């Protein structure tokens, strides 16, 4: 494999170009249009460069599985609609979200600059991606952004006992001139679904608070939680309320599915979630007024004081990994490379 | 006292009109303009009717204290500015927030209907109120809304040890045609500051997880947490990230103070926080498209299923209390009535 350092044991360090080439080859070989493959590949590679393995090239396996189930449109051409001074709608046409996001982005940015605030509804998309990749496309334009989406009915509401809400990620980005943006991106569940799956694979019990069994009782068996019980929200009733908010504003409010409806659509195939996505973009040059740069500088004081007392800013670990990946390539385990190669057969 | 049922022991049930009359008399007697007294009174009475005692008439004491410290302008006339297609700014002029909110509301609603999404920045206001009261003014117009504000530097960030962030409430409202809206309104701290103060008054230790001592160590002494240590966020790093988001979007993004700057402004007087407030309003008739009513109906299915498994919707307890208060009056303890009467001397 080109651009691959094969001296590492049980894996390889791949350059950004090698990751991109591999992703595109797999996706095009599996039937994705060139544009879909490029947009999707860029998102996966961005995650891999940040050492976010669960959102990186590992996702190729689930993407191909979802496609083979007929649950995604490989050559979808997203349609962008100018709805109102503050609203862009993109119909992803059953394709994955990255190309839909990319095509709607210029209109969203323009509206945010003109109106001060604008939102983009992406409808009918199969989701596969890390939201922070999209956030950075907005923060690099100097915009503040919030992104969220439902998933599937994996989680019981606080005080409930059965799967109803999604793990509903909520992400926020804040531009920092001359630096990487402040970005957070977290599931509103106590823990990501992938972490419970990891415990199942390793045969380990999960901590209390992550899930309940089929009767709604606290449960530390990952298999029972994933297959018969339900995950739990983070932060008790507050996290549960946030998950509910995401269901509503990135579901019915934009004319798209609830997590429970996405699960019905999936019909037990265990494919990637099919749903909508909401992006809100705000231009601080409009909302903070004429002296917006001075106001944004005051935020830096907050970050300095936060770091000064030993707390961490979200995303700093990812930025360190990114810098490492740029210099020596991004690590990909050999087992994953083997699985990916098999998709090229 | 008129309209007061004085047969109850150690307190009285007051009608909405009696509560309003009492609030206005106190506020005007203390020097508030008639408009400021009316708008502020309506907010306090709404909270009292919902049996939210910490946000009800009890707040008159803190409001008067803040005014006597010279930290609020009693006759401020808020100025509304039409900034952009999606942005309204209201300069509260150092007054309390309710009148500023009320004066900016029609322009905000109009912009949300035209552009699909709009935001209102209230600047230079003294905050005193429950955010849900403002949310309901938007949901009754059929709008979805998010409201938040910084407070003062009461809370350490997750992983930190010293006060830096506010308790930063985040509130969300969702219109339900023919019913009370779905509304949540919570502090991003593990617990409201008032609950820790209650433990101090009662000489009780607080549970672990609410705060740290002056050295940043876990602490169950409410006095130490309030006077020398720091409160903690809810939900570990996720709640901390949300508190940080509120600091930024309702602080520098709208050209207003961080919680730590609000504390500096307060200069140890222990007055009510001086800061900005951010309101985002979205019209689902624009974002959900032509069939928005059918989409909003799907949300009702989510609420039904949530209630069906024994979970609760936020605000239901308040709505029950409100109905009770409408029929038999809202309970006010005699000790509070005595304190309020003293303000009329």
């Amino acid at each position: 494999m080109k651009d691959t350092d094969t001296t590492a044991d049980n894996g390889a360090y791949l350059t950004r170009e090698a990751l991109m080439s591999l992703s595109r080859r797999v996706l095009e070989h599996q039937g994705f249009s060139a544009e879909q493959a490029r947009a999707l590949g860029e998102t996966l590679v961005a995650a891999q460069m940040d050492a976010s393995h669960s959102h990186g090239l590992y996702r190729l396996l689930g993407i191909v599985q979802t496609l083979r189930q007929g649950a995604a449109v490989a050559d979808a051409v997203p349609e962008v609609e100018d709805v109102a001074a503050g609203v862009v709608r993109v119909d992803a046409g059953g394709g994955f979200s990255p190309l839909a996001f990319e095509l709607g982005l210029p209109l969203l940015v323009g509206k945010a600059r003109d109106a001060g605030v604008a939102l983009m509804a992406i409808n009918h998309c199969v989701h596969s991606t890390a939201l922070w990749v999209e956030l950075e496309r907005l923060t690099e334009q100097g915009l503040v952004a919030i992104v969220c989406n439902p998933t599937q009915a994996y989680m019981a509401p606080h005080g409930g006992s059965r799967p109803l809400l999604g793990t509903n990620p909520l992400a926020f980005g804040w531009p920092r001139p001359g630096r990487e943006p402040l970005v957070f991106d977290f599931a509103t569940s106590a823990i990501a679904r992938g972490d419970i799956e990891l415990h199942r694979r390793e045969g380990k019990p999960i901590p209390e608070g992550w899930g309940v069994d089929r009767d709604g009782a606290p449960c530390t068996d990952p298999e029972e939680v994933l297959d018969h019980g339900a995950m739990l929200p983070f932060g008790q009733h507050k996290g549960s309320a946030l998950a509910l908010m995401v269901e509503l504003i990135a579901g019915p409010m934009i004319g798209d599915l609830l997590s429970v409806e996405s699960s019905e659509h999936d019909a037990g195939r265990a494919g990637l979630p099919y749903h909508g996505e909401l992006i809100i973009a705000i231009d601080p040059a409009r909302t903070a007024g004429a002296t917006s740069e001075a106001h944004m500088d005051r935020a830096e004081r907050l970050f300095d004081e936060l770091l000064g007392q030993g707390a961490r800013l979200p995303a700093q670990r990812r930025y360190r990994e990114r810098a490492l990946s740029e210099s020596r390539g991004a690590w990909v385990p050999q087992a994953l490379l083997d699985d990916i190669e098999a998709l090229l057969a």
Side-chain angles (χ1 to χ4, degrees), chain A:
Chain A
M1 192 175 299
K2 275 194 303 183
D3 302 321
T4 304
D5 175 358
T6 48
T7 60
D9 282 351
N10 298 318
Y13 291 103
L14 271 66
T15 64
R16 184 185 286 274
E17 292 67 32
L19 293 168
M20 192 64 204
S21 168
L22 179 60
S23 299
R24 290 180 71 163
R25 273 198 298 144
V26 167
L27 292 167
E28 293 191 21
H29 180 75
Q30 292 289 334
F32 280 91
S33 66
E35 277 301 274
Q36 286 280 353
R38 181 193 51 72
L40 193 44
E42 281 175 4
T43 301
L44 302 179
V45 170
Q48 193 73 38
M49 292 294 283
D50 283 9
S52 171
H53 295 282
S54 62
H55 288 81
L57 266 59
Y58 168 76
R59 286 279 164 118
L60 284 168
L61 311 180
I63 288 167
V64 169
Q65 183 193 5
T66 302
L67 190 66
R68 287 177 178 170
Q69 290 163 346
V73 179
D75 59 353
V77 179
E79 291 183 13
V80 179
E81 182 189 356
D82 186 339
V83 175
V87 181
V88 181
R89 182 185 306 288
V90 187
D91 187 334
F96 284 86
S97 58
L99 183 59
F101 177 86
E102 188 179 304
L103 292 175
L105 183 65
L107 192 56
L108 175 66
V109 170
K111 284 182 184 297
R113 292 211 196 292
D114 288 344
V117 57
L119 63 82
M120 180 158 75
I122 300 180
N123 290 126
H124 314 129
C125 72
V126 182
H127 190 70
S128 62
T129 62
L131 299 179
W132 81 79
V133 180
E134 298 180 355
L135 281 171
E136 288 193 24
R137 302 291 299 274
L138 291 158
T139 55
E140 69 193 24
Q141 302 276 342
L143 301 174
V144 177
I146 296 172
V147 183
C148 60
N149 60 262
T151 59
Q152 286 185 7
Y154 299 134
M155 188 168 87
H158 180 69
S161 56
R162 296 189 300 276
L164 178 64
L165 303 174
T167 47
N168 298 2
L170 178 66
F172 170 73
W174 177 265
R176 301 179 68 190
R179 305 192 196 200
E180 282 113 348
L182 179 124
V183 166
F184 69 74
D185 176 356
F186 58 70
T188 48
S189 46
I191 191 80
R193 192 164 178 85
D195 283 300
I196 302 184
E197 277 165 357
L198 199 64
H199 280 74
R200 168 157 67 178
R201 281 205 298 277
E202 295 176 352
K204 288 183 188 168
I206 56 173
E208 282 213 17
W210 287 11
V212 292
D213 66 16
R214 70 194 73 190
D215 300 316
C219 179
T220 59
D221 175 2
E223 179 122 0
E224 173 70 17
V225 167
L226 290 174
D227 292 347
H228 307 289
M231 298 170 68
L232 287 174
F234 92 97
Q236 310 278 326
H237 68 284
K238 295 183 182 182
S240 189
L242 282 171
L244 184 59
M245 178 184 82
V246 171
E247 285 286 329
L248 295 169
I249 64 177
M253 193 186 83
I254 60 167
D256 220 308
L257 301 184
L258 297 163
S259 290
V260 69
E261 295 169 327
S262 178
S263 288
E264 289 163 359
H265 175 87
D266 183 66
R269 290 174 297 197
L272 290 165
Y274 177 71
H275 54 65
E277 180 181 339
L278 173 69
I279 301 108
I280 301 175
I282 300 170
D283 186 356
R286 303 308 294 267
T287 55
T291 55
S292 67
E293 282 180 30
H295 289 302
M296 300 301 273
D297 278 347
R298 288 188 297 111
E300 296 298 320
R301 170 188 170 185
L302 184 65
F303 305 148
D304 289 344
E305 294 196 8
L306 191 146
L307 294 168
Q309 59 175 267
R312 293 194 301 181
L313 288 175
Q316 296 302 306
R317 190 194 58 78
R318 283 199 296 99
Y319 295 143
R320 281 195 301 276
E321 292 287 347
R322 187 181 303 179
L324 275 172
S325 295
E326 293 291 357
S327 65
R328 58 114 168 87
W331 172 255
V332 186
Q334 191 59 46
L336 177 57
L337 286 172
D338 293 344
D339 286 343
I340 292 172
E341 285 290 337
L343 297 177
L344 288 166

